[in-house]
């Protein structure tokens, strides 16, 4: 198959979809397919371009044996609702002009939301050519922005939601990563498109590192929460830290990551002994930190609804780490933790429940051990060997149906 993958995040970006879509491209190429990738210049999670990339409109590279095109995108110094719209628009126009590989036409196009522009551009990218498309809905970015009141202009919700639906309908098939998100997607598209639940997975290099460290016995620190990943608005980590400072007792919180809320968090934890804040960890230290923490903390700001399932959940499961999910119980994360019974779900506004849970965990180590075992068992559902063949199978189905 000739596959055109379009993604705003790709190696050497870190976190979020960067590792997943890099791994997917490598996997499809290894299966013998003609894979080509269009992306932008590295910027995530720092939201900052490298000096050598500033002002560059196009760069052509080869990555692990397949062609890669990097096109310009505006990267705001501080991502807000308005600046993200500007970033999306800039990527849309860059893709429209430079996404295609000259002299080459794909048999299928694969792209993903949350970057709205790379879904919307599918309506224009190959005019007059009947090329099937697969969109992976990792995040309902428009819904999240509206529900979190990041975009409040009159008439804007109706316009953006209509545009989102039109973008989604450019694809014949859409994947999404949790059951609540699938239900939401099916409700939006009302049966007009093929919608499937295909979860995210543990990407190859991380899977290999977990296996490398597996023979070493797990010795977990007492009363230590570990958070690693994006420090964005929808994660709502500053709200959690306010609660944590009021009830932490002997507990410590180690935070590693980067993103829009970094400066807020640096100010917030200054002088707070129970909270440490560091940068993004390499995979060796990341896996080690998961294997030695009492529990992995995953937070979501109230009101995000069924718009995303945090990717940081999967490595925690793969290392058998209990989960402290500070989120609404009916969110994709909340439903996953409750169903799998590998952690505790606490409403973001419920400080007494947080205090009670931390106290119980400290006094009942057997409870944490049982959660860890269930976490490890649940993680097997998200193996690379289980998930990636589903991508290849659906892409092949689309190509063969189109012939």
């Amino acid at each position: 198959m000739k596959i055109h993958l379009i993604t705003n995040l790709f190696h050497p970006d870190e976190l979020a979809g960067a590792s997943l879509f890099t791994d997917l491209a490598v996997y499809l190429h290894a299966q013998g397919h003609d894979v080509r990738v269009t992306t932008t210049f590295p910027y995530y999670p720092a939201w900052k371009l490298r000096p050598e990339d500033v002002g560059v409109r196009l760069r052509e590279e080869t990555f692990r044996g397949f062609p890669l095109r990097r096109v310009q995108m505006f990267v705001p110094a501080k991502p807000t609702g308005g600046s993200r719209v500007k970033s999306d628009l800039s990527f849309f126009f860059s893709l429209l002009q430079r996404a295609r590989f000259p002299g080459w036409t794909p048999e299928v196009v694969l792209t993903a939301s949350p970057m709205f522009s790379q879904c919307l551009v599918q309506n224009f990218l190959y005019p007059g050519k009947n090329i099937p498309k697969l969109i992976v809905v990792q995040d309902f970015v428009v819904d999240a922005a509206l529900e979190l009141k990041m975009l409040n202009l009159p008439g804007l919700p109706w316009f953006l939601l209509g545009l989102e639906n039109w973008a989604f309908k450019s694809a014949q098939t859409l994947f999404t990563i949790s059951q609540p998100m699938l239900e939401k997607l099916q409700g939006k598209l009302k049966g007009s498109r093929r919608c499937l639940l295909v979860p995210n997975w543990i990407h190859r290099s991380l899977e290999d590192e977990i296996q490398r460290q597996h023979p070493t016995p797990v010795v977990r620190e007492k009363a230590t929460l570990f958070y690693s990943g994006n420090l964005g608005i929808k994660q709502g980590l500053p709200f959690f830290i306010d609660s944590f400072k009021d009830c932490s007792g002997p507990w410590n919180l180690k935070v590693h990551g980067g993103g829009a809320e970094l400066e807020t968090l640096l100010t917030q934890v200054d002088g707070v002994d129970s909270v440490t804040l560091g940068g993004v960890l390499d995979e060796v230290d990341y896996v080690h930190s998961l294997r030695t923490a009492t529990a992995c903390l995953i937070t979501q700001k109230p009101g995000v609804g069924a718009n995303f399932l945090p990717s940081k959940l999967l490595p925690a499961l793969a290392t058998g780490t209990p989960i402290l999910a500070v989120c609404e119980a009916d969110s994709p994360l909340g439903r996953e933790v409750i169903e799998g019974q590998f952690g505790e779900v606490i409403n973001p506004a419920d400080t007494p429940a947080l205090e009670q849970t931390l106290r119980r965990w400290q006094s009942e180590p057997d409870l944490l051990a049982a959660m860890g075992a269930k976490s490890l068992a649940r993680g097997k559902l998200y193996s690379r060997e289980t998930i990636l063949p589903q991508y290849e199978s659906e892409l092949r189905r689309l190509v063969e149906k189109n012939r």
Side-chain angles (χ1 to χ4, degrees):
M1 290 183 290
K2 294 194 289 185
I3 305 167
H4 189 182
L5 172 60
I6 300 174
T7 170
N8 62 306
L9 296 176
F10 199 81
H11 182 85
D13 287 317
E14 298 175 293
L15 309 179
S19 297
L20 292 179
F21 288 104
T22 303
D23 191 41
L24 178 57
V26 170
Y27 169 83
L28 292 170
H29 176 67
Q31 303 311 302
H33 303 298
D34 181 359
V35 177
R36 306 195 182 196
V37 176
T38 301
T39 185
T40 188
F41 296 92
Y43 72 96
Y44 197 83
W47 285 91
K48 184 177 182 180
L49 291 170
R50 300 177 301 188
E52 63 268 29
D53 297 331
V54 175
V56 181
R57 294 187 176 185
L58 173 69
R59 181 176 295 140
E60 297 180 283
E61 306 172 8
T62 299
F63 180 81
R64 298 197 185 179
F66 55 84
L68 177 72
R69 287 171 73 85
R70 296 191 184 275
V71 302
Q72 189 177 41
M73 185 183 82
F74 166 70
V75 177
K78 185 172 180 57
T80 62
S83 65
R84 284 175 185 259
V85 170
K86 184 178 178 182
S87 180
D88 242 318
L89 283 173
S90 72
F91 196 41
F92 174 83
F93 287 112
S94 285
L95 290 173
L96 200 59
Q97 297 172 61
R98 303 181 183 90
R100 295 176 291 273
F101 288 81
W104 181 83
T105 301
E107 295 176 287
V108 64
V109 178
L110 170 62
T111 191
S113 172
M115 199 69 180
F116 184 51
S117 53
Q118 60 199 28
C119 299
L120 183 61
V121 81
Q122 301 307 318
N123 286 297
F124 308 98
L125 199 55
Y126 292 101
K129 298 183 185 296
N130 186 27
I131 298 174
K133 302 168 185 71
L134 169 61
I135 289 177
V136 184
V137 182
Q138 295 272 346
D139 191 331
F140 291 100
V141 61
V142 174
D143 300 66
L146 295 174
E147 289 166 20
L148 293 173
K149 296 181 171 52
M150 295 171 66
L151 298 168
N152 290 319
L153 295 176
L156 195 59
W158 173 85
F159 174 73
L160 288 178
L161 289 172
L163 206 58
E164 178 189 65
N165 269 18
W166 188 52
F168 286 167
K169 287 179 179 178
S170 68
Q172 286 71 30
T173 299
L174 296 100
F175 285 175
T176 194
I177 60 175
S178 74
Q179 184 61 36
M181 293 175 71
L182 178 63
E183 294 164 5
K184 182 169 186 171
L185 185 62
Q186 290 171 329
K188 283 175 172 289
L189 298 179
K190 305 185 188 307
S192 64
R193 295 295 184 271
R194 177 175 163 88
C195 299
L196 301 174
L197 171 58
V198 180
N200 283 338
W201 65 96
I202 310 295
H203 64 268
R204 169 52 61 82
S205 61
L206 186 58
E207 182 181 74
D208 289 347
E209 182 56 35
I210 291 170
Q211 290 303 313
R212 190 189 70 81
Q213 294 191 31
H214 181 70
T216 305
V218 174
V219 180
R220 297 196 177 274
E221 299 176 18
K222 294 182 179 180
T224 301
L225 298 177
F226 173 64
Y227 178 101
S228 179
N230 186 27
L231 308 176
I233 294 172
K234 67 185 180 184
Q235 282 74 27
L237 194 56
F239 295 92
F240 172 79
I241 288 177
D242 281 339
S243 295
F244 181 77
K245 288 190 296 186
D246 291 338
C247 65
S248 61
W251 284 81
N252 293 301
L253 170 61
K254 297 179 180 180
V255 178
H256 286 270
E261 295 279 57
L262 178 59
E263 293 302 321
T264 299
L265 289 168
L266 285 169
T267 301
Q268 188 181 25
V269 305
D270 185 33
V272 180
D273 293 337
S274 60
V275 182
T276 58
L277 182 59
V280 177
L281 297 174
D282 62 29
E283 289 184 347
V284 175
D285 290 337
Y286 176 44
V287 172
H288 175 76
S289 295
L290 280 172
R291 284 167 48 86
T292 55
T294 307
C296 176
L297 170 68
I298 306 176
T299 61
Q300 291 182 354
K301 190 174 181 179
V304 298
N307 292 321
F308 72 107
L309 177 66
S311 58
K312 62 177 70 68
L313 172 66
L314 305 191
L317 296 182
T319 54
T321 307
I323 305 296
L324 179 61
V326 181
C327 62
E328 293 161 326
D330 62 350
S331 67
L333 174 61
R335 286 172 59 171
E336 176 76 5
V337 174
I338 291 168
E339 181 181 328
Q341 299 182 329
F342 47 74
E344 200 76 44
V345 177
I346 297 173
N347 190 285
D350 197 345
T351 301
L354 173 63
E355 186 170 15
Q356 182 181 15
T357 296
L358 294 178
R359 190 183 303 119
R360 186 172 72 253
W361 280 7
Q362 189 182 357
S363 63
E364 299 181 35
D366 289 346
L367 175 62
L368 283 167
M371 288 179 175
K374 290 178 179 178
S375 176
L376 193 61
R378 189 76 169 191
K380 295 177 182 177
L381 298 175
Y382 303 103
S383 72
R384 187 177 190 264
E385 291 71 22
T386 300
I387 305 301
L388 292 188
Q390 297 180 56
Y391 274 83
E392 184 181 19
S393 176
E394 183 61 23
L395 291 168
R396 192 181 299 279
R397 192 195 71 84
L398 287 169
V399 170
E400 290 176 353
K401 185 178 179 181
N402 195 49
R403 283 174 177 164

